[in-house]
Amino acid sequence: MKKILSVALSLITFSCCFLGGNAVQKNSEVFSEDISLYDEYIPTQTVSENLISMKAKYPEGMKWTNENVYAWNGGIYSRGGGCVSFAFILSDSIFGDLPASKHTDFSQIKVGDIVRLYNDIHSVVVLKKEGNIITVAEGNYNSSIHWGREIDISDSSNGFTYVLTRYPKCGDTSGNNDIDAEDASLVLAEYSALSTSSPSTFDDIKTWAADVDGNGKIDSNDASAILAFYAYLSTNNDTFQIDIREWINK
């Protein structure tokens, strides 16, 4: 009965928020999460501070409904209204033009991720994660903006549907959200350039993504590992969420 009431309440509290197509077109407390490999290039502390700074522009209780529409830079969806538009605005404020990817491994939720809830009717942005509890910012919550609600990932009545993340993938040097032969080729080209004292063609994110074995340098071993991982993914479609570094160390 408790779960039925919870779901019913969610249907009353949140107006339907829409997602558009797949064409591409700041709180006084500092939120953070456990340090992860992502902190090497997008520190969660920085993500938290950027989110917090947005509260000054979008304060608690500010009116926010489906009439508020925003075109997103993350891809997958071109635009959204209501809770979606607010989530997209916060996401772009942090990640700029980085492409998004979608997954359903809710144990891997990170600060700054967009989480779709209540069986695909409401979107929130993660401000903090501690164990199974996420603290979120959201639009169209009783037709307004709300900061700081806590949600339990392990509670099935919350209807976790999927996660949109814009943290780059280790191994994805091309930035297309896939790990394939193109990435291996780019790594080999970078290795060749570095070996001949030519200027690097990689920025900090690509440098991090290329060093898949995590030894602090880019070489042919990284390219070989990317090719092997690509072959693995091609024949194991159900394991698309595994991280290449995790795979290498298995």
Side-chain angles (χ1 to χ4, degrees), residues 74-107:
I76 301 181
Y77 302 106
S78 60
R79 60 198 287 272
C83 62
V84 176
S85 64
F86 185 60
F88 284 174
I89 287 170
L90 294 187
S91 178
D92 278 355
S93 76
I94 301 164
F95 299 104
D97 294 326
L98 285 175
S101 60
K102 180 189 289 189
H103 69 80
T104 56
D105 186 355
F106 304 116
S107 67

Side-chain angles (χ1 to χ4, degrees), residues 14-42:
F14 308 110
S15 301
C16 180
C17 306
F18 68 85
L19 290 154
N22 53 10
V24 177
Q25 265 257 156
K26 262 170 177 202
N27 209 358
S28 59
E29 179 185 357
V30 175
F31 296 106
S32 63
E33 67 171 342
D34 293 338
I35 298 299
S36 71
L37 58 87
Y38 296 101
D39 284 299
E40 298 176 36
Y41 57 92
I42 301 181

Side-chain angles (χ1 to χ4, degrees), residues 40-82:
E40 298 176 36
Y41 57 92
I42 301 181
T44 51
Q45 179 74 12
T46 300
V47 172
S48 299
E49 291 172 354
N50 285 346
L51 285 169
I52 291 164
S53 71
M54 296 297 286
K55 193 176 181 184
K57 185 174 182 179
Y58 302 98
E60 176 73 26
M62 178 179 175
K63 183 178 179 181
W64 200 271
T65 68
N66 280 341
E67 294 182 1
N68 297 94
V69 179
Y70 179 79
W72 193 35
N73 294 329
I76 301 181
Y77 302 106
S78 60
R79 60 198 287 272

Side-chain angles (χ1 to χ4, degrees), residues 103-169:
H103 69 80
T104 56
D105 186 355
F106 304 116
S107 67
Q108 297 302 311
I109 290 173
K110 300 174 183 64
V111 170
D113 285 349
I114 297 172
V115 181
R116 190 73 170 168
L117 300 171
Y118 308 122
N119 300 314
D120 205 16
I121 68 168
H122 188 62
S123 294
V124 299
V125 173
V126 179
L127 303 174
K128 179 181 180 181
K129 181 185 177 186
E130 291 184 340
N132 286 325
I133 305 300
I134 57 173
T135 304
V136 304
E138 54 201 319
N140 208 8
Y141 180 93
N142 288 329
S143 301
S144 64
I145 288 173
H146 184 49
W147 297 78
R149 186 163 66 99
E150 294 185 346
I151 302 172
D152 190 343
I153 296 172
S154 63
D155 186 348
S156 61
S157 69
N158 288 322
F160 278 67
T161 312
Y162 59 78
V163 179
L164 294 174
T165 188
R166 295 173 77 177
Y167 287 90
K169 295 178 182 178

